[in-house]
Amino acid sequence: MFNDAATAGNSIMSIRSRLLQGIAANSFGQVAAVLIQVFSVPIFIKFWGVELYGEWLLINTIPAYLNMCDIGFTTITANEMTMLVSGGERSKALDIFQSTWLLLCFISAIILGISLSVTWFLPVEVWFRFTHIAHFELAVILILLSLYVLVGLQTRLLLAGFRCEGQYALGTFLNTLLLLMEYVAVAIIIYWGGTPVHAACSFFIMRLLGTVWIRLILMQRRSWIVFGAQNASIDTIRRLVRPALSFMAFPMGN
């Protein structure tokens, strides 16, 4: 009886600890978002001017919509993996992880192909009436920012690995820290005279290196979560489509 009570007490303490860590990680994310908004805008305007910064903001709106191109699969994957791991079914969780990874790679290839076609062959700078960014620069920026977003999808998939193993707080903290590092790097580049092309390149490189860094940390802590296609399944992808589309109804509505 005493052993059962002690086990239950430890379980409650563990849940409470994880909840507090999750709240702390989310709070850190909110603070980081505020800091980025407060400090990045004056830096951009001071060194680029209002007009160039305005064109940069317009360019950023295009890749921002690519964040929805996973149609909710990373969120659904995180939910499914968490339930399976809690039931001790890590092999099925790996099936979902690798199936989603293959799907994201397929979607990313399509999105990248569309981005290349649009940016190189269509006069996007004329449509938006840009005066400070030429066609070639705009094409390079859009491609780099699209790559940044697509690598970010892989980051979100890695966060599902942290979450399913009860390390949601750690994954959230690492992702927020990476975001801060990206903006610090871009601020330094702008301070030294960097152009929008340099800024876009910095965002992409920092996200790529950061994703590799997060992947290595996940491998050290949970070695069973690996990329590949050995456990992937088309049936798994089809099963996840409906809840993923349902989840995407909210952001699509917005």
Side-chain angles (χ1 to χ4, degrees):
M1 180 181 299
F2 290 110
N3 289 335
D4 292 341
T7 301
N10 291 334
S11 177
I12 293 173
M13 290 296 293
S14 176
I15 294 174
R16 181 180 301 172
S17 175
R18 280 191 286 175
L19 284 173
L20 291 175
Q21 290 175 1
I23 293 173
N26 285 326
S27 299
F28 175 56
Q30 294 297 323
V31 172
V34 172
L35 290 175
I36 289 172
Q37 292 297 322
V38 169
F39 290 101
S40 65
V41 174
I43 291 174
F44 278 107
I45 293 178
K46 177 178 176 58
F47 293 99
W48 282 359
V50 175
E51 292 185 359
L52 180 57
Y53 179 53
E55 293 183 3
W56 168 261
L57 289 179
L58 284 174
I59 296 173
N60 268 274
T61 59
I62 300 174
Y65 285 106
L66 296 181
N67 271 315
M68 296 191 298
C69 69
D70 74 329
I71 61 172
F73 274 98
T74 52
T75 301
I76 299 301
T77 295
N79 294 338
E80 290 274 345
M81 289 180 65
T82 300
M83 290 186 289
L84 289 171
V85 171
S86 65
E89 298 181 288
R90 284 186 169 84
S91 60
K92 293 184 178 179
L94 182 60
D95 172 12
I96 293 177
F97 180 86
Q98 292 190 351
S99 298
T100 305
W101 177 72
L102 281 180
L103 177 67
L104 290 180
C105 290
F106 177 73
I107 293 175
S108 297
I110 294 176
I111 295 298
L112 187 58
I114 295 174
S115 298
L116 286 170
S117 301
V118 170
T119 53
W120 283 109
F121 300 109
L122 296 179
V124 180
E125 75 284 356
V126 176
W127 297 343
F128 288 97
R129 300 180 181 179
F130 287 163
T131 58
H132 293 75
I133 298 178
H135 176 78
F136 176 76
E137 293 176 319
L138 176 62
V140 173
I141 293 169
L142 284 174
I143 291 171
L144 288 171
L145 291 180
S146 297
L147 288 170
Y148 167 80
V149 171
L150 295 177
V151 173
L153 295 181
Q154 300 293 329
T155 310
R156 284 152 62 177
L157 183 58
L158 290 174
L159 297 182
F162 283 98
R163 177 180 164 186
C164 74
E165 285 289 353
Q167 296 184 323
Y168 166 82
L170 176 60
T172 301
F173 172 78
L174 292 175
N175 189 53
T176 303
L177 186 60
L178 173 56
L179 187 63
L180 283 172
M181 292 167 61
E182 290 171 358
Y183 275 90
V184 169
V186 170
I188 293 173
I189 287 176
I190 293 174
Y191 177 80
W192 288 105
T195 66
V197 174
H198 297 137
C201 185
S202 176
F203 271 122
F204 167 59
I205 292 176
M206 289 297 296
R207 174 58 58 170
L208 182 61
L209 294 177
T211 300
V212 173
W213 170 57
I214 292 175
R215 171 64 187 136
L216 292 175
I217 293 176
L218 181 61
M219 285 180 61
Q220 292 177 349
R221 293 175 174 269
R222 296 294 182 268
S223 59
W224 66 271
I225 303 178
V226 294
F227 289 108
Q230 296 85 355
N231 295 77
S233 169
I234 297 297
D235 292 335
T236 300
I237 295 176
R238 291 173 179 170
R239 183 173 59 82
L240 295 174
V241 167
R242 181 174 295 179
L245 290 175
S246 300
F247 176 84
M248 279 303 297
F250 293 102
M252 288 297 290
N254 290 330

